[in-house]
Each structure stands twice: as structure tokens, then as C-alpha cells.
């Protein structure tokens, strides 16, 4: 380089360094100003936060004072006194910190005159609340006899409002002062920004432009050096790629070591490159097999080997996850959850990293759960079949009973009526005999009409359809009392007169009918009481008798007796379940039976 060029470069360098120094000074000043302002802003934020918290603490203080005066539980009073004292101490400390500063609360204590004046205006209310609160606390913590605290409580409540109002003004003043500081800093930053821009323009005109001309002259000299640099860069890039590949391999190895203790490495054909000691032990090998097909080593079963081998024959560009069944060397069945991770290395063919996890216990548990669920399902199906068969048999018995009643009762009376009508001969028989037969025919007709009405009543009582369950049960008790001469009573304790869904009413009627029939037929009861009661969301029906009761308390597992006495109980339970109700049966030998049916009422 010539002396002139050196002189020019030296001169430009001095100006360049001078300009950089100027920019550096501007940036340093800006940085210091911003940092200083941020520190102040942190202090300002802390001050506003503490000032706002003072409002909350004063309100909390008032609430705790009121709660203390209204509470009568001594243990609760002790806790409230502790809370009140803790709140008061924090309130006092925060107030002193706002006024004079407190390093533990990060409060500087350097207040403006306006803030000082506001604090002075707040202090009378503050000290009045403090004095009254301390008096209240002293009364509750001393062993002396308590005096009335109404005046102290009144002082706290009267000073709370002015304190909150002036505290709001103080918070707003803190906020205004913080904003003024931000605006002041903003003006200074604008000035420094303008100065920096002016400095850059001067550098561009008087420094960078001459340097650009100078650089342009030496570009040709640097071209050759650039080519050499590109060549060096290519070599460095190749070295970087190899290093990056090594890092990836190391990460894969670390993943295998961290995530799975059962792991191996194979080539694309499935031949083992490496296998962990724990996997060897898991497969029941005494020595580590360093060579061989991984599928044959992983399982001793040929079908399982073929399935595993097919996994490796299929190329994998991504991680493959799955579950496989294996047979270890000692012929034990096991399940593995495996991940096949393809690993690429520069200059080397792709390898597979095999990560394994023993899930045998989980699979056994799943199989057991599935078996138990299947057994439960089959049991429920069988139970439903049994119940259906019982329902069908009961329906058939009911049909037989109706047919028998009609044949033995109505049929015989109709036959007798027919014969009596045929035997009447007005021409040949005396009038007295004819009159007697007419009376017999009237009596037989009355019995026939009563039998027809009774059969119809047993099938579907019209009162149930027309008036509802309460009237139908009252009619049932009345009719059965006439027919059986038993003391059968119905009591509607809550005067229930509502209507339910037709299917619900007919099922409730049949349940009560079955319960009463059982009491008459099997319990040998002389007194039967049917009770109906309801609330807003529950309807309750109770059938009580003074019969012989049941010999066994456990009715759930009782088999159906030969005479069908327990068939009615099964029917009742089925009907209750059908209408989403609940049935409770309590019976003791020689102490009678009580059957309760509870049904939820739809209040929507």
C-alpha cells in the first residue's frame, strides 16, 4: 500500500473511530437513562401496588373487626384476633414504608411534596383506625372483663370511608408522577435519537462514502482470497456435517439408554449389531449372542419369528411402534412393546435401533379383565333369560287363573241360569213355584253380574284409568275387603291426587295388588294396611300385614318355591325396576311383613 493510501486510510480511521465513539456515548447515555428510569418505574410500580394494597387491607381490617364483634365461638374468636393483628401490623408497616421508605418492601420513601401532603391528610384517619383496632385486640387478648367495643368499632367504620377516598387520590397521584417521568424520559430519548441519526448521516457523508471508494479499489485484490475462503468453507461444512451426524448418533444412543433398558441395534436385514445385557437376560440366554438374526433370537416360535422378520424386511423411514408376542428361550410367553428407530449415518448404510418394553403383565391383566367382562355379560344374559322365562310362566299362570275363574265361576253360573230358565213353564207350573224360580233367577243373575264385575276389576280397574292410583288403590282395598271379609284398609296420608304416566300407574297397581294377594293367600294375615304418602320428589307406597312373615331374612337369594309364593316377589321387583323405583322388603317370622315401594316424582 502506498504512503498516500496509508495516510488516507489513517485519517479516515480516526474520523471513523471518533464517530463510533460519539454513537457509543449516545447509546451509553441512553442505556443509563433507560436503566435508571426502569429502576424508578419498578419502584413506582411497587409504590402503586403497596398503596393499592393499603385500600384492601383497610377493608379487610374493617371486616375482621365486624366479624370479631359478631362471633361468639371462642376458638373462632382467637383465630380472628390473630388475623386482625397480622393485618394491622402489615397495614402499619406498609403505611410507614410509603411515608419514610422500607427496604424490605422495596419502598424508596422519596416522595414529592404533593404526596407528602396527601399522606399527612390521611394520617389522622390512619391513626384513629390503628388506635381503635389495637384497643379491640387488647380487649380480646387480655384476661380482664370485656367492656363495650361499640365506640371503637364505630371509629374504625367511620374513618374507613375517608381513608379509602384519600388513598384513591394518593394512588392517582403516584400514577400521575410515574407518567410524568415516562414523558420526560421520552423527550430525552427523542433528543438522543435525533443526535444519533445526525451522527450517522455525518459518518455516511464524510467517512463511509470515502471508505467505500477506497474499498472498491481493493475488491479485486480480495477476489482471489474469497475463492480460497470458499474452498476452506466447503471443507469446514463437510466437517460440521460429520460432527452433526455424530451428535445425532450420540443422542439416539442416549435416548436408548435413558428410555429403555431392553434395546438392540440391527442392520437393514435384521442381523444383530448390538444387544443389551438386560434384553439377553430377559430372553433367557446365558450368553450374549453377538451375531445372528434378531427375529430368531427374540423368539423361539417359528410363526412369531416370521412375523418379526417381516417387520425388518419392510423399509422404515420413520419410527415404527407396535406390540408383539414372543416366546423366550425357556418357552415362556411374553409381550413386548417395541419401537424401530431408523438411524442414518454419513457414509454408512441405514441401521435400526430397537427399543423394547416388557408389557407382559399388562397383557395378562387385560386378558383377565376381558374374560371377567365376558363372564359377567354371559351371566347377565342368562339372568335375563331366566327372568323372561319367569315372566312368561307367570303370564301363562295368570291366563290359566282367569280361564279357571271364568269356567268355574261365571261358566257354572251361566249354565245354572240356562237350566233354570229352561225349567220355567208358566203354563203348567203353579204361580208360587214360578215366582220362587224367578227369585232364584234374580239371585243367580246378581251373582253373575258380580262375578263379571270382579273379573273385569281384576283385569283393569276403570278407577285407575279415570281417576289415578290413589282412587284405584282405595277401590282395591274396599272390594277385597268385601270379597275376603279381611280387615283391609287404605290410607292416603298426604292426600295425593296427582296423575302419573299410565305405564307407571298400572305397574304400581299390580305391585300393590300382588303384595295384598300374597298377604291374604300365604301370610294368613287378618289385618292389611295400604299407605300412600308423597313429598315434592318422592312417592312412597307401603303394604303392611300381621301375618306369619318369612322364615328367611335374605330374600335376594331365595329360590322360587313349588307353590309359586316367591314368584310374586320376583314379579314385584321386575315391575319396580321397570319404572325406575326401589323396593324394600322387611319380614320376620310371626311378626308380619312390610313392603315399601319408593318412586321418584318428576318435578319438571
Amino acid at each position: 500500500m502506498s504512503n498516500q493510501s496509508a495516510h488516507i486510510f489513517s485519517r479516515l480511521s480516526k474520523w471513523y473511530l471518533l464517530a463510533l465513539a460519539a454513537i457509543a456515548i449516545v447509546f451509553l447515555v441512553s442505556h443509563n437513562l433507560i436503566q435508571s428510569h426502569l429502576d424508578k418505574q419498578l419502584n413506582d410500580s411497587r409504590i402503586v401496588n403497596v398503596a393499592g394494597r393499603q385500600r384492601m387491607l383497610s377493608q379487610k381490617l374493617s371486616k375482621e373487626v365486624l366479624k370479631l364483634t359478631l362471633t361468639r365461638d371462642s376458638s373462632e374468636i382467637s383465630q380472628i384476633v390473630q388475623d386482625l393483628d397480622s393485618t394491622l401490623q402489615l397495614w402499619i408497616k406498609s403505611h410507614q414504608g410509603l411515608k419514610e421508605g422500607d427496604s424490605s418492601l422495596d419502598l424508596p420513601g422519596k416522595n414529592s411534596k404533593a404526596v407528602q401532603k396527601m399522606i399527612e391528610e390521611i394520617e389522622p384517619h390512619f391513626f384513629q383506625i390503628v388506635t381503635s383496632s389495637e384497643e379491640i385486640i387488647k380487649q380480646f387478648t387480655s384476661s380482664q372483663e370485656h367492656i363495650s367495643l361499640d365506640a371503637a368499632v364505630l371509629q374504625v367504620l367511620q374513618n374507613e370511608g375517608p381513608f379509602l377516598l384519600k388513598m384513591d387520590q394518593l394512588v392517582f397521584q403516584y400514577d400521575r408522577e410515574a407518567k410524568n417521568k415516562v414523558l420526560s424520559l421520552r423527550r430525552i430519548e427523542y433528543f438522543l435519537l435525533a443526535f444519533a441519526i445526525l451522527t450517522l448521516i455525518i459518518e455516511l457523508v464524510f467517512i463511509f462514502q470515502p471508505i467505500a471508494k477506497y474499498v472498491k479499489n481493493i475488491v479485486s485484490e480480495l477476489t482471489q482470497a474469497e475463492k480460497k475462503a470458499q474452498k476452506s468453507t466447503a471443507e469446514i461444512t463437510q466437517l460440521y456435517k460429520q460432527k452433526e451426524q455424530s451428535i445425532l448418533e450420540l443422542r439416539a444412543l442416549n435416548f436408548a439408554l435413558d428410555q429403555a433398558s431392553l434395546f438392540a441395534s440391527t442392520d437393514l436385514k435384521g442381523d444383530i449389531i448390538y444387544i443389551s445385557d438386560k434384553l439377553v437376560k430377559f430372553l433367557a440366554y446365558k450368553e450374549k449372542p453377538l451375531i445372528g438374526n434378531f427375529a430368531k433370537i427374540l423368539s423361539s416360535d417359528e410363526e412369531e419369528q416370521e412375523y418379526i422378520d417381516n417387520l425388518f424386511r419392510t423399509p422404515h423411514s420413520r419410527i415404527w411402534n407396535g406390540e408383539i408376542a414372543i416366546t423366550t428361550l425357556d418357552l415362556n410367553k411374553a409381550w413386548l412393546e417395541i419401537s424401530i428407530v431408523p438411524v442414518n449415518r454419513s457414509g454408512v448404510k441405514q441401521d435400526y435401533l430397537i427399543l423394547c418394553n416388557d408389557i407382559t403383565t399388562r397383557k395378562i391383566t387385560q386378558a383377565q379383565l376381558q374374560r371377567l367382562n365376558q363372564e359377567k355379560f354371559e351371566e347377565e344374559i342368562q339372568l335375563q333369560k331366566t327372568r323372561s322365562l319367569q315372566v312368561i310362566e307367570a303370564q301363562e299362570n295368570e291366563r290359566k287363573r282367569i280361564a279357571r275363574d271364568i269356567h268355574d265361576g261365571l261358566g257354572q253360573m251361566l249354565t245354572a241360569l240356562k237350566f233354570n230358565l229352561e225349567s220355567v213353564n208358566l203354563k203348567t207350573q203353579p204361580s208360587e213355584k214360578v215366582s220362587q224360580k224367578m227369585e232364584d233367577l234374580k239371585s243367580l243373575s246378581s251373582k253373575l253380574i258380580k262375578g263379571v264385575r270382579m273379573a273385569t276389576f281384576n283385569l283393569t280397574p276403570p278407577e285407575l284409568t279415570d281417576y289415578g292410583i290413589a282412587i284405584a288403590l282405595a277401590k282395591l282395598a274396599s272390594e277385597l275387603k268385601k270379597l275376603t271379609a279381611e280387615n283391609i284398609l287404605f290410607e292416603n296420608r298426604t292426600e295425593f291426587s296427582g296423575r302419573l304416566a299410565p305405564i307407571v300407574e298400572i305397574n304400581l297397581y299390580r305391585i300393590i295388588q300382588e303384595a295384598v294377594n300374597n298377604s291374604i293367600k300365604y301370610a294368613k294375615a287378618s289385618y292389611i294396611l295400604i299407605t300412600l304418602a308423597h313429598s315434592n320428589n318422592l312417592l312412597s307406597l307401603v303394604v303392611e300385614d300381621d301375618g306369619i312373615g318369612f322364615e328367611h331374612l335374605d330374600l335376594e337369594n331365595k329360590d322360587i318355591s313349588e307353590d309359586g309364593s316367591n314368584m310374586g316377589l320376583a314379579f314385584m321387583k321386575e315391575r319396580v325396576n321397570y319404572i325406575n323405583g326401589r323396593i324394600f322388603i322387611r319380614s320376620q317370622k310371626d311378626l308380619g311383613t312390610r313392603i315399601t315401594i319408593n318412586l321418584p316424582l318428576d318435578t319438571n
Side-chain angles (χ1 to χ4, degrees):
M1 184 181 293
S2 63
N3 293 332
Q4 185 179 3
S5 298
H7 177 70
I8 295 173
F9 184 76
S10 177
R11 182 167 57 85
L12 293 175
S13 299
K14 291 179 182 179
W15 281 102
Y16 183 71
L17 291 174
L18 182 62
L20 288 178
I23 294 176
I25 291 172
V26 172
F27 286 150
L28 287 174
V29 172
S30 300
H31 177 74
N32 290 333
L33 286 173
I34 292 173
Q35 290 299 320
S36 176
H37 177 69
L38 287 176
D39 292 338
K40 293 180 180 179
Q41 281 295 99
L42 289 175
N43 291 334
D44 292 341
S45 299
R46 182 59 179 169
I47 290 172
V48 173
N49 184 25
V50 172
R53 189 180 64 183
Q54 283 296 86
R55 297 183 75 262
M56 179 274 293
L57 289 175
S58 67
Q59 294 174 327
K60 183 180 179 185
L61 199 65
S62 300
K63 291 179 180 179
E64 289 174 347
V65 166
L66 286 174
K67 187 176 181 181
L68 185 62
T69 58
L70 297 175
T71 303
R72 296 295 178 265
D73 189 351
S74 59
S75 61
E76 188 175 355
I77 289 176
S78 177
Q79 181 61 42
I80 296 173
V81 170
Q82 293 179 7
D83 294 341
L84 177 60
D85 185 62
S86 176
T87 303
L88 181 62
Q89 297 306 319
L90 178 60
W91 194 50
I92 295 173
K93 183 177 181 181
S94 300
H95 181 80
Q96 295 299 327
L98 289 173
K99 181 179 179 182
E100 301 174 358
D102 191 328
S103 58
S104 63
L105 296 177
D106 294 331
L107 298 175
K110 298 178 181 180
N111 297 319
S112 64
K113 292 182 179 180
V115 171
Q116 291 177 359
K117 184 178 179 181
M118 289 182 177
I119 292 177
E120 290 175 359
E121 294 176 355
I122 289 174
E123 284 195 331
H125 303 290
F126 171 78
F127 286 123
Q128 187 62 50
I129 294 175
V130 170
T131 302
S132 300
S133 299
E134 289 178 345
E135 181 181 348
I136 294 171
I137 293 173
K138 183 178 179 181
Q139 282 293 323
F140 279 95
T141 55
S142 65
S143 59
Q144 299 177 359
E145 182 178 357
H146 293 178
I147 62 175
S148 176
L149 298 176
D150 294 343
V153 174
L154 183 60
Q155 286 294 328
V156 172
L157 298 179
Q158 287 179 346
N159 286 273
E160 180 192 8
F163 178 83
L164 291 175
L165 179 61
K166 294 182 182 297
M167 204 66 204
D168 284 339
Q169 298 173 357
L170 180 59
V171 172
F172 292 147
Q173 181 63 27
Y174 278 133
D175 186 60
R176 282 193 296 270
E177 291 181 1
K179 289 182 179 179
N180 290 334
K181 292 177 183 178
V182 173
L183 293 175
S184 176
L185 179 64
R186 182 178 295 174
R187 288 192 292 270
I188 296 173
E189 287 179 341
Y190 283 153
F191 172 77
L192 294 175
L193 178 61
F195 181 77
I197 293 174
L198 180 61
T199 304
L200 289 174
I201 293 173
I202 294 173
E203 286 186 2
L204 179 64
V205 175
F206 296 101
I207 297 177
F208 291 122
Q209 191 172 6
I211 289 178
K213 293 180 181 179
Y214 175 76
V215 171
K216 186 177 180 181
N217 293 331
I218 63 173
V219 167
S220 57
E221 298 177 6
L222 297 176
T223 303
Q224 195 67 27
E226 183 182 2
K227 292 181 180 179
K228 293 181 180 179
Q230 289 177 350
K231 183 178 180 181
S232 299
T233 301
E235 294 176 355
I236 294 173
T237 302
Q238 183 64 24
L239 292 174
Y240 178 80
K241 288 182 179 180
Q242 293 179 358
K243 181 181 179 180
E244 185 179 15
Q245 184 62 37
S246 299
I247 292 174
L248 291 175
E249 293 178 1
L250 181 60
R251 287 179 179 175
L253 181 59
N254 288 336
F255 177 80
L257 294 174
D258 293 339
Q259 300 296 325
S261 58
L262 305 176
F263 67 94
S265 178
T266 69
D267 57 18
L268 295 179
K269 296 180 180 179
D271 293 332
I272 292 179
I273 298 176
Y274 178 80
I275 186 169
S276 67
D277 294 336
K278 192 162 185 178
L279 182 56
V280 171
K281 184 177 179 180
F282 177 78
L283 298 176
Y285 283 89
K286 295 182 180 179
E287 297 179 357
K288 180 184 290 187
L290 298 178
I291 59 174
N293 184 268
F294 184 67
K296 294 182 179 179
I297 292 175
L298 194 62
S299 178
S300 59
D301 185 83
E302 293 184 358
E303 293 183 358
E304 294 173 354
Q305 290 176 1
E306 183 178 358
Y307 174 75
I308 298 170
D309 197 37
N310 288 332
L311 292 178
F312 291 97
R313 291 177 187 174
T314 304
H316 298 285
S317 58
R318 297 180 180 178
I319 297 177
W320 182 89
N321 295 300
E323 299 176 354
I324 61 172
I326 65 169
T327 304
T328 60
L329 191 64
D330 54 1
L331 302 181
N332 287 327
K333 292 291 184 179
W335 279 87
L336 287 178
E337 183 179 39
I338 69 169
S339 298
I340 302 177
V341 183
V343 179
N344 297 305
R345 292 184 293 174
S346 178
V348 181
K349 290 184 177 180
Q350 187 186 60
D351 294 339
Y352 290 139
L353 181 64
I354 315 299
L355 308 177
C356 306
N357 183 29
D358 182 16
I359 59 171
T360 305
T361 303
R362 187 180 76 189
K363 282 292 186 179
I364 293 174
T365 303
Q366 289 177 350
Q368 291 175 347
L369 288 175
Q370 185 176 5
R371 178 178 57 80
L372 292 175
N373 290 335
Q374 182 64 27
E375 291 177 356
K376 184 177 180 181
F377 176 75
E378 292 176 355
E379 182 180 349
E380 290 179 353
I381 292 296
Q382 186 61 37
L383 180 60
Q384 188 62 37
K385 289 181 179 178
T386 303
R387 290 176 176 174
S388 299
L389 182 60
Q390 293 173 353
V391 170
I392 293 172
E393 291 178 354
Q395 290 175 344
E396 189 62 29
N397 291 333
E398 182 67 14
R399 293 189 183 97
K400 290 179 180 179
R401 184 188 65 79
I402 293 172
R404 184 172 58 252
D405 290 343
I406 293 174
H407 180 270
D408 296 342
L410 299 179
Q412 292 180 2
M413 284 189 288
L414 287 172
T415 302
L417 180 62
K418 175 178 179 296
F419 287 143
N420 285 334
L421 287 173
E422 290 178 350
S423 64
V424 174
N425 191 338
L426 298 176
K427 295 180 178 180
T428 60
Q429 293 178 343
S431 59
E432 295 82 1
K433 190 174 183 180
V434 170
S435 298
Q436 181 62 37
K437 286 189 176 182
M438 292 302 294
E439 291 297 327
D440 293 340
L441 287 174
K442 290 179 181 180
S443 175
L444 186 59
S445 298
S446 298
K447 292 180 180 179
L448 182 60
I449 292 172
K450 185 178 180 181
V452 171
R453 289 182 61 190
M454 190 62 193
T456 305
F457 178 79
N458 287 332
L459 291 175
T460 303
E463 288 80 6
L464 182 64
T465 304
D466 297 336
Y467 304 109
I469 187 65
I471 301 299
L473 292 179
K475 182 67 175 178
L476 174 66
S478 175
E479 292 294 328
L480 290 177
K481 183 176 181 180
K482 294 177 182 178
L483 291 174
T484 62
E486 301 287 350
N487 193 9
I488 303 174
L489 301 176
F490 171 75
E491 182 180 359
N492 189 351
R493 292 184 176 177
T494 56
E495 299 299 329
F496 178 77
S497 60
R499 296 303 304 270
L500 307 175
I503 189 66
V504 175
E505 289 185 337
I506 189 63
N507 276 283
L508 283 176
Y509 182 84
R510 293 305 182 196
I511 293 169
I512 300 302
Q513 187 181 39
E514 183 67 34
V516 174
N517 287 335
N518 287 343
S519 297
I520 296 172
K521 185 175 181 180
Y522 302 111
K524 299 179 181 178
S526 59
Y527 177 84
I528 301 172
L529 175 61
I530 306 171
T531 304
L532 185 149
H534 80 288
S535 61
N536 290 335
N537 53 9
L538 186 70
L539 179 69
S540 180
L541 285 165
V542 180
V543 178
E544 297 180 85
D545 66 51
D546 60 350
I548 61 175
F550 295 97
E551 295 183 357
H552 303 287
L553 295 178
D554 187 8
L555 301 175
E556 296 295 332
N557 299 322
K558 186 178 180 182
D559 295 332
I560 298 174
S561 59
E562 294 180 357
D563 62 353
S565 60
N566 198 30
M567 192 64 183
L569 295 178
F571 266 160
M572 291 161 61
K573 293 175 184 178
E574 287 295 323
R575 289 184 182 274
V576 169
N577 290 333
Y578 181 71
I579 59 176
N580 297 323
R582 298 186 66 186
I583 184 170
F584 304 93
I585 303 175
R586 188 181 65 186
S587 179
Q588 294 184 14
K589 187 176 181 180
D590 298 328
L591 294 178
T593 302
R594 178 187 177 94
I595 299 176
T596 304
I597 298 94
N598 291 335
L599 179 70
L601 294 176
D602 187 4
T603 58
N604 294 331

